[in-house]
């Protein structure tokens, strides 16, 4: 929603609060009941008025075809209505025309607004061309075919005109001489004469362009770009002046405390009887819209002359010049049907003609077309296309292999480094046994510990002396005690025998239990190592989810980097940054317009400055909708509304700009 929608809704609500429904009900109460035909016409007009209201749909401004259709459905007659229902129908017809004028007003404002905004891009393009030697040289190369064509066309037309003048001079000697000369001259002689004329034209053209040739092609290109930029600035300022003029002077129903309208047109005859002031405002506004559309694309006049000509044309408009001698004739002439026809003319003729003229000027003075800007690389690509195709054909197998390898690598990377780690993480969260991290299996430690227990018990049974049971067998209680000590890591029977045999190692190794004791201690060492590894397993299991995310992180970083690179390549990130830079630039331009204004303290902006301000405010408003959150955006709309209202004064508007700068810097800057 732009300021145009806000403006049309505000004016439409003012029309609704003028007491028009009350006046209609007054006529219904104090006049005799209308006929059935008049009643159906009244109901039809009320339906059309409702359709023309800004509250009839989500969009405040209707399309041109819809407004024309509703005006055609009204069947307004230039003949005054009958006495029975004349007052009612007149009020409804005027209200319908006023509603249609509001819709036309919104359409024209949108047209001017969306014509002004793109001109800034073309002006910036010419700034780049004029601000860089390389850009100026490139522009000179890009436009060289056009200059060559224009020069050749001038030479051809000049030579052709000389050839015709020579023929006409030869024909003046008479018909007999004409026949003889025609027969005597061959085709080769005619071409020879034409060639000499072309050569003379080239020589004369070179003499005429001697002053231009004194300048370098670089200087000529800069001068050409500078002229186009100046014309674009003039078109932009003229359109902005028309926009500001319509915003301030058109359909301005200034209501006072009593509910009556204070008009902006000082020359309105206040002594006119039988015609309310709001109808005069509507009529003057229709004439103002028509005059602005007809003159806003005229670049030959200055801004001040344009504004003065518009006001003079509105004041001297033949359809709304009032005569003090006969007010009844004025009322009959000033019928809603005439304004309806004028609105149709604006919608059907003036708006399309204005769009065509504005587009033509933008194309003439705007940046060159795509064909002009890119014919150099396109020509190079076309000339090298055969070489490129030959290279592709010769390396067809290699290119196919590269594509297949790239696709297989991408698929394997996705499956092995993204899908599988995610599955393992999900399994860890769900305590899936298959996803547990372990250095050894759970049964390994239990089996080795049971084997050690059996080894030590058998050793103690075979050597009761080592277990403090010399000369007798071990009882079950003593064996149970040995088992309990083994679980705690105590191998006393084995160590005693080991110490005894160690005194005579060779005899103990041959006849004793030294080797057996050593092997049991090796098993004990193995069990101790497995216990330590089991502790490490427990630690890994407690951090299993962390290890899963650590394994997934590199692949996620790679995917994120590829996504950012792709988004920058496709321009989505650039588009977002460009929109944010446009918002910053719009705020800067708003501050510049207000600071550079000639308005003194308490004075208002000019129409041109107001129009330029509205364009920048519109850009700021549209871009802020993307970056600023909802509630904060509604607060920003209040600040923007203060900027749009020039009646507050330049000093107050500069304070609003400063408040926007520090209050919304998080989203704007």
């Amino acid at each position: 929603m732009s300021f145009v929608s806000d403006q049309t809704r505000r004016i439409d609500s003012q029309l609704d609060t003028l007491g028009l429904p009350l006046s209609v009900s007054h006529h219904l109460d104090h006049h005799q009941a209308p006929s059935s035909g008049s009643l159906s016409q009244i109901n039809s007009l009320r339906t059309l008025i409702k359709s023309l209201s800004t509250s009839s749909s989500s969009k405040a401004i209707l399309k041109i075809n819809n407004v024309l259709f509703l005006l055609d459905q009204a069947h307004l007659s230039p003949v005054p209505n009958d006495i029975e229902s004349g007052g009612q129908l007149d009020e409804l017809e005027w209200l319908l025309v006023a509603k249609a004028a509001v819709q036309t007003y919104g359409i024209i404002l949108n047209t001017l607004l969306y014509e002004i905004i793109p001109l800034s891009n073309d002006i910036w393009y010419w700034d780049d061309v004029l601000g860089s030697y390389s850009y100026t040289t490139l522009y000179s190369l890009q436009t060289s075919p056009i200059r060559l064509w224009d020069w050749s066309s001038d030479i051809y037309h000049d030579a052709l005109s000389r050839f015709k003048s020579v023929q006409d001079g030869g024909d003046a000697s008479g018909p007999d001489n004409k026949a003889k000369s025609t027969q005597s001259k061959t085709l080769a002689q005619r071409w020879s004469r034409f060639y000499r004329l072309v050569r003379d034209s080239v020589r004369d053209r070179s003499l005429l362009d001697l002053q231009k040739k004194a300048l370098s092609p670089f200087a000529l290109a800069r001068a050409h770009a500078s002229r186009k930029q100046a014309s674009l600035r003039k078109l932009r300022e003229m359109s902005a002046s028309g926009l500001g003029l319509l915003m301030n002077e058109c359909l301005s129903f200034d209501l006072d405390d009593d509910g009556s309208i204070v008009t902006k047109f000082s020359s309105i005859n206040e002594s006119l009887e039988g015609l309310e002031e709001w109808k005069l405002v509507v009529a003057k506004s229709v004439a103002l819209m028509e005059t602005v559309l007809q003159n806003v694309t005229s670049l030959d006049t200055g801004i001040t002359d344009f504004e003065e000509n518009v006001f003079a044309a509105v004041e001297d408009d033949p359809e709304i010049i009032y005569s003090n001698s006969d007010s009844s004739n004025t009322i009959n002439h000033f019928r809603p049907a005439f304004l309806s026809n004028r609105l149709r003319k604006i919608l059907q003729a003036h708006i399309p003609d204005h769009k065509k003229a504005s587009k033509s000027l933008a194309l003439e003075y705007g940046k060159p077309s795509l064909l002009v800007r890119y014919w150099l690389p396109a020509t190079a690509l076309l000339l090298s296309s055969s070489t490129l195709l030959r290279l592709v054909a010769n390396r067809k197998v290699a290119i196919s292999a590269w594509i297949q390898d790239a696709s297989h690598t991408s698929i394997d990377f996705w499956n092995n480094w993204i899908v599988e780690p995610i599955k393992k993480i999900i399994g860890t969260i769900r305590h899936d046994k298959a996803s547990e991290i372990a250095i050894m299996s759970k049964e390994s430690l239990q089996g080795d510990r049971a084997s050690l227990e059996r080894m030590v018990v058998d050793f103690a049974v075979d050597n009761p002396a080592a277990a403090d049971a010399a000369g007798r067998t071990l009882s079950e209680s003593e064996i149970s005690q040995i088992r309990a000590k083994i679980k705690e890591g105590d191998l006393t029977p084995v160590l005693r025998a080991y110490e005894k045999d160690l005194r005579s190692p060779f005899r103990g190794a041959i006849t004793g239990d030294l080797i057996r004791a050593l092997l049991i201690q090796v098993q004990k060492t193995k069990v101790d190592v497995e216990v330590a590894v089991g502790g490490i397993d427990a630690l890994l299991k407690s951090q299993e989810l962390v290890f899963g995310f650590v394994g997934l992180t590199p692949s996620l970083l790679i995917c994120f980097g590829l996504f950012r690179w792709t988004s920058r390549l496709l321009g989505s990130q650039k588009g977002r940054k460009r929109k944010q830079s446009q918002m910053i630039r719009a705020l800067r331009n708003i501050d510049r317009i207000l600071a550079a204004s000639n308005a003194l303290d308490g004075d208002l902006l000019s129409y041109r400055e107001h129009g330029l301000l509205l364009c920048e405010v519109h850009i700021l408003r549209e871009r802020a909708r993307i970056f600023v959150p909802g509630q904060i955006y509604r607060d920003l709309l209040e600040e923007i509304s203060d900027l749009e209202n020039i009646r507050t004064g330049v000093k107050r508007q500069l304070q609003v700009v400063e408040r926007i700068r520090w209050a919304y810097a998080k989203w704007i800057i």
Side-chain angles (χ1 to χ4, degrees):
M1 185 176 65
S2 64
F3 71 90
V4 178
S5 300
D6 295 340
Q7 180 77 352
T8 52
R9 285 195 173 99
R10 183 184 64 82
I11 296 174
D12 190 78
S13 64
Q14 287 182 349
L15 285 175
D16 293 336
T17 57
L18 286 176
L20 298 178
L22 296 177
S23 64
V24 174
S25 62
H26 173 78
H27 285 292
L28 290 174
D29 293 336
H30 293 81
H31 292 77
Q32 62 184 24
S35 61
S36 58
S38 299
L39 185 60
S40 63
Q41 189 176 0
I42 290 173
N43 294 331
S44 176
L45 289 176
R46 287 177 176 173
T47 303
L48 295 175
I49 290 171
K50 185 177 180 181
S51 300
L52 284 169
S53 299
T54 56
S55 59
S56 62
S57 63
S58 59
K59 295 183 178 180
I61 302 172
L62 302 177
K63 295 182 179 179
I64 293 179
N65 293 334
N66 294 339
V67 179
L68 287 172
F69 175 76
L70 294 174
L71 284 175
D72 293 336
Q73 291 295 316
H75 302 294
L76 300 180
S77 174
V79 181
N81 296 300
D82 55 8
I83 300 177
E84 294 182 356
S85 58
Q88 304 171 42
L89 288 177
D90 285 341
E91 294 292 339
L92 290 175
E93 287 177 356
W94 270 107
L95 183 57
L96 184 140
V97 170
K99 294 277 187 177
V102 172
Q103 292 292 333
T104 306
Y105 173 67
I107 293 171
I108 295 174
L109 288 182
N110 268 335
T111 301
L112 292 175
L113 175 65
Y114 290 106
E115 287 175 352
I116 296 172
I117 292 176
L119 296 179
S120 299
N121 297 328
D122 292 344
I123 293 174
W124 295 337
Y125 172 81
W126 294 121
D127 284 338
D128 294 337
V129 171
L130 295 173
S132 173
Y133 183 87
S134 59
Y135 282 164
T136 306
T137 305
L138 178 61
Y139 171 73
S140 180
L141 290 175
Q142 289 172 343
T143 56
S144 57
I146 298 178
R147 295 198 305 273
L148 180 61
W149 172 261
D150 293 339
W151 182 80
S152 302
S153 179
D154 292 341
I155 295 296
Y156 172 76
H157 288 96
D158 184 62
L160 188 62
S161 63
R162 294 187 182 202
F163 186 73
K164 289 182 178 180
S165 64
V166 170
Q167 281 189 334
D168 293 340
D171 294 344
S173 60
D176 296 336
N177 294 332
K178 175 182 177 182
K180 292 180 181 179
S181 61
T182 303
Q183 293 176 359
S184 62
K185 291 179 181 178
T186 62
L187 183 62
Q189 291 174 339
R190 291 184 179 181
W191 274 109
S192 177
R193 175 183 292 180
F194 184 74
Y195 174 74
R196 288 196 301 271
L197 293 176
V198 170
R199 187 175 56 189
D200 295 340
S201 298
V202 171
R203 185 177 61 253
D204 295 342
R205 183 67 59 181
S206 300
L207 293 175
L208 291 174
D209 295 340
L210 184 60
Q211 184 178 1
K212 291 183 179 180
K213 286 189 175 182
L215 301 175
S216 64
F218 176 79
L220 291 175
R222 284 184 58 87
H224 189 261
S226 180
R227 286 194 300 270
K228 287 198 171 187
Q229 187 187 46
S231 299
L232 273 183
R233 291 185 186 276
K234 182 65 177 300
L235 177 61
R236 183 170 180 262
E237 291 179 354
M238 289 285 289
S239 301
S241 178
L243 179 63
L245 196 150
L246 291 176
M247 281 291 295
N248 286 278
E249 305 295 342
C250 191
L251 292 173
S252 181
F253 303 110
D254 292 338
L255 303 179
D256 56 12
D257 297 336
D258 298 332
S260 59
I261 300 177
V262 180
T263 61
K264 281 188 157 304
F265 300 100
S266 58
S267 63
I268 294 177
N269 186 3
E270 298 178 354
S271 63
L272 184 63
E273 298 178 358
L275 195 62
E276 291 84 348
E277 289 183 351
W278 72 270
K279 298 177 183 177
L280 296 174
V281 174
V282 172
K284 287 278 189 177
S285 299
V286 172
L288 180 64
M289 289 186 284
E290 183 179 20
T291 307
V292 168
L293 286 177
Q294 291 175 340
N295 296 277
V296 74
T297 55
S298 178
L299 302 184
D300 298 333
T301 59
I303 302 296
T304 305
D305 295 336
F306 162 72
E307 295 171 358
E308 293 176 354
N309 293 338
V310 167
F311 282 113
V314 172
E315 296 296 337
D316 299 335
D317 192 280
E319 293 192 10
I320 47 179
I321 293 178
Y322 303 106
S323 174
N324 294 328
S325 59
D326 190 355
S327 62
S328 61
N329 292 335
T330 302
I331 296 174
N332 291 335
H333 170 73
F334 202 52
R335 294 286 303 153
F338 293 102
L339 286 181
S340 176
N341 292 333
R342 200 164 188 177
L343 288 174
R344 286 194 190 93
K345 187 177 180 181
I346 292 174
L347 295 171
Q348 291 177 339
H350 293 310
I351 292 180
D353 292 343
H354 166 76
K355 289 182 177 179
K356 186 182 298 183
S358 179
K359 184 178 180 180
S360 176
L361 291 173
L363 290 176
E364 180 180 357
Y365 300 116
K367 61 183 178 182
S369 62
L370 292 175
L371 179 62
V372 174
R373 282 180 287 157
Y374 296 105
W375 72 267
L376 278 173
T379 303
L381 182 62
L382 182 63
L383 294 176
S384 61
S385 59
S386 59
T387 304
L388 294 176
L389 291 176
R390 186 165 55 253
L391 290 175
V392 171
N394 294 335
R395 297 180 176 270
K396 182 178 179 181
V397 178
I399 293 174
S400 178
W402 293 342
I403 295 174
Q404 291 179 358
D405 292 342
S407 61
H408 291 162
T409 303
S410 301
I411 294 172
D412 293 340
F413 173 78
W414 177 261
N415 292 330
N416 298 330
W417 293 96
I418 296 179
V419 177
E420 290 299 328
I422 291 176
K423 287 182 178 179
K424 291 180 180 179
I425 290 174
I426 295 174
T428 301
I429 295 173
R430 298 173 61 182
H431 294 285
D432 189 3
K433 293 183 179 180
S435 64
E436 292 182 355
I437 301 175
I439 299 177
M440 66 178 188
S441 62
K442 296 180 178 179
E443 291 79 9
S444 177
L445 178 60
Q446 295 177 359
D448 290 341
R449 183 174 289 177
S451 176
L452 176 64
E453 184 178 340
R454 288 192 301 269
M455 289 179 183
V456 175
V457 170
D458 292 342
F459 185 85
V461 171
D462 295 339
N463 298 280
D468 295 333
R472 61 183 181 87
T473 60
L474 296 175
S475 63
E476 292 295 332
S477 61
E478 290 175 337
I479 293 175
S480 299
Q481 291 178 0
I482 292 173
R483 292 180 185 276
K485 290 180 179 180
I486 291 172
K487 293 179 179 179
E488 295 175 357
D490 187 3
L491 302 181
T492 301
V494 177
L495 294 176
R496 285 177 180 174
Y498 176 74
E499 293 170 357
K500 179 182 177 182
D501 292 336
L502 195 61
R503 295 171 185 171
S504 302
F506 293 102
R507 187 181 62 181
I510 297 173
T511 61
D513 297 322
L514 181 60
I515 295 176
R516 187 179 180 185
L518 285 173
L519 294 176
I520 292 175
Q521 291 187 59
V522 170
Q523 181 66 19
K524 174 64 169 58
T525 304
K526 181 181 178 182
V527 171
D528 291 340
V529 171
E530 289 182 351
V531 170
V533 172
I536 297 174
D537 276 346
L539 180 62
L540 292 176
K541 187 175 181 180
S542 64
Q543 302 296 324
E544 188 173 359
L545 192 60
V546 175
F547 286 115
F549 280 107
V550 169
L552 184 62
T553 300
S555 57
L556 291 180
L557 291 176
I558 293 173
C559 292
F560 179 73
L562 289 175
F563 174 76
R564 290 291 299 272
W565 178 78
T566 306
S567 63
R568 286 196 299 267
L569 183 64
L570 296 178
S572 59
Q573 191 71 17
K574 289 182 179 178
R576 186 175 180 86
K577 290 183 178 179
R578 184 175 66 252
K579 291 179 180 179
Q580 190 169 13
S581 65
Q582 288 176 355
M583 187 164 53
I584 299 173
R585 196 164 191 170
L587 188 62
R588 173 257 184 194
N589 291 338
I590 291 172
D591 194 359
R592 182 179 177 85
I593 291 170
L594 295 175
S597 174
N598 295 325
L600 301 176
D601 294 339
D603 292 339
L604 304 180
L605 294 174
S606 64
Y607 297 126
R608 178 186 64 84
E609 293 168 341
H610 189 203
L612 294 175
L613 177 67
L614 290 174
C615 294
E616 301 298 337
V617 168
H618 175 76
I619 296 174
L620 177 63
R621 184 174 186 167
E622 293 299 314
R623 298 298 178 262
R625 183 185 289 117
I626 303 174
F627 299 98
V628 181
Q631 182 61 43
I632 301 176
Y633 178 71
R634 286 189 287 271
D635 297 338
L636 178 61
L637 288 181
E638 296 181 2
E639 310 292 348
I640 291 177
S641 179
D642 293 339
L643 276 179
E644 294 171 354
N645 186 13
I646 65 170
R647 292 179 175 85
T648 58
V650 176
K651 185 177 180 180
R652 171 74 181 277
Q653 288 174 307
L654 286 172
Q655 293 175 353
V656 173
V657 172
E658 184 63 27
R659 185 162 61 247
I660 291 176
R661 184 179 289 112
W662 65 259
Y664 305 95
K666 178 180 178 181
W667 300 276
I668 294 179
I669 301 176

